[in-house]
Amino acid sequence: MSKVTVFDHPLIQHKLSILRDENTPTKEFRELISEISMLMCYEATRDLPLEDVQIKTPMAPMTAKKIAGRKLAFIPILRAGMGMLDAMLTMVPSAKVGHIGLYRDEETHKPVEYYNKLPGDIDERDVFVLDPMLATGGSAIDAIQIIKRSNPRSIKFLCIIAAPEGIKALTEAHPDVDLFCAAQDEKLNPNCYILPGLGDAGDRIYGTDVVGEVSVDKRGSTVKLHSKTK
Ligand code: PRP
Ligand code: URA
């Protein structure tokens, strides 16, 4: 059975509140996605095995610890998953990277695959699938199905906000995959967007859906852009 971990660390929760705010601009949104991903990576890699190594400090020889040769692969689901990738690679620079391109059809809300390139030696690797949003779960379920064809050693799914509907669907479809998120939200709206959520993650990362009111402060220096309501 899948293990579901909701990170309640105060730093993650604080950053998540700013991330959700509709007035948070694109640049800050991207930075927050990265910072939260870095903190999540730290927690989600907690069970990596260690091995003893002999080293010498300037003072004395000692038996120290290093990660025991586990090979990792990070697989962002395009587009929004890319927002989490650099942070993960900062923490684990030796990881290989695969990409899965999926978008949700606007009418059916079902995922449509358009790209898939995975490392050739994925059968020797522990995989972390990255996507900030788990809504219906369709995209995560299909991405993991694609990855499983290449027989990875293990798969973990990291998202920032998960809907209860997505958690149920993903854990039922892939009970061998552990799930990590920063928040479990209330529910989906009729368009399958997460409530309260943060809107469309891909659009907010890449600034592709900014419409409507633009306001400038008294000195003419602060511009606020309000995202379209889903
Ligand atoms: C978003 C998000 C997930 C998916 C979640 O991507 O990044 O991949 O929706 O929804 P689901 O759980 O109902 O499948 P989207 O399809 O908007 O594509 P984008 O990242 O290219 O914007
Ligand atoms: N995809 C998003 O980016 N946001 C949601 O709330 C649901 C799916």
Side-chain angles (χ1 to χ4, degrees), residues 77-81 102-105 109-111 114 131-140 166 188 192-193 200-203:
I77 301 178
L78 305 178
R79 286 178 300 173
L102 293 173
Y103 70 88
R104 281 199 330 178
D105 181 277
H109 311 302
K110 300 270 183 251
Y114 62 89
D131 193 330
M133 308 304 276
L134 180 71
T136 64
S139 305
L188 298 178
C192 293
Y193 274 83
D200 189 300
D203 282 343

Side-chain angles (χ1 to χ4, degrees), residues 31-186:
E31 289 165 357
L32 285 161
I33 289 266
S34 260
E35 289 165 14
I36 294 169
S37 303
M38 213 177 281
L39 293 166
M40 289 180 66
C41 178
Y42 172 79
E43 288 291 343
T45 51
R46 185 175 280 286
D47 63 352
L48 285 179
L50 293 171
E51 64 185 6
D52 288 347
V53 289
Q54 300 305 316
I55 61 163
K56 208 159 158 275
T57 77
M59 307 301 290
M62 72 170 284
T63 304
K65 302 278 182 203
K66 280 199 174 163
I67 290 172
R70 297 296 277 200
K71 292 189 191 170
L72 306 189
F74 298 146
I75 304 185
I77 301 178
L78 305 178
R79 286 178 300 173
M82 287 298 288
M84 302 173 72
L85 179 64
D86 281 354
M88 299 289 292
L89 286 172
T90 300
M91 300 299 276
V92 189
S94 61
K96 283 200 178 169
V97 178
H99 296 85
I100 293 188
L102 293 173
Y103 70 88
R104 281 199 330 178
D105 181 277
E106 284 188 6
E107 301 294 320
T108 65
H109 311 302
K110 300 270 183 251
V112 180
E113 183 185 346
Y114 62 89
Y115 187 74
N116 158 9
K117 182 86 182 165
L118 302 180
D121 61 351
I122 207 161
D123 54 332
E124 299 168 15
R125 292 181 181 269
D126 296 306
V127 167
F128 290 69
V129 181
L130 313 175
D131 193 330
M133 308 304 276
L134 180 71
T136 64
S139 305
I141 290 170
D142 281 13
I144 290 168
Q145 202 55 54
I146 294 165
I147 295 164
K148 278 187 172 174
R149 286 189 223 133
S150 306
N151 287 318
R153 271 203 308 225
S154 71
I155 304 181
K156 289 177 178 167
F157 182 79
L158 266 67
C159 64
I160 294 183
I161 300 183
E165 295 89 334
I167 295 178
K168 182 168 184 298
L170 178 57
T171 53
E172 282 176 8
H174 297 293
D176 51 333
V177 173
D178 288 340
L179 191 160
F180 298 86
C181 63
Q184 177 176 335
D185 273 11
E186 270 169 53

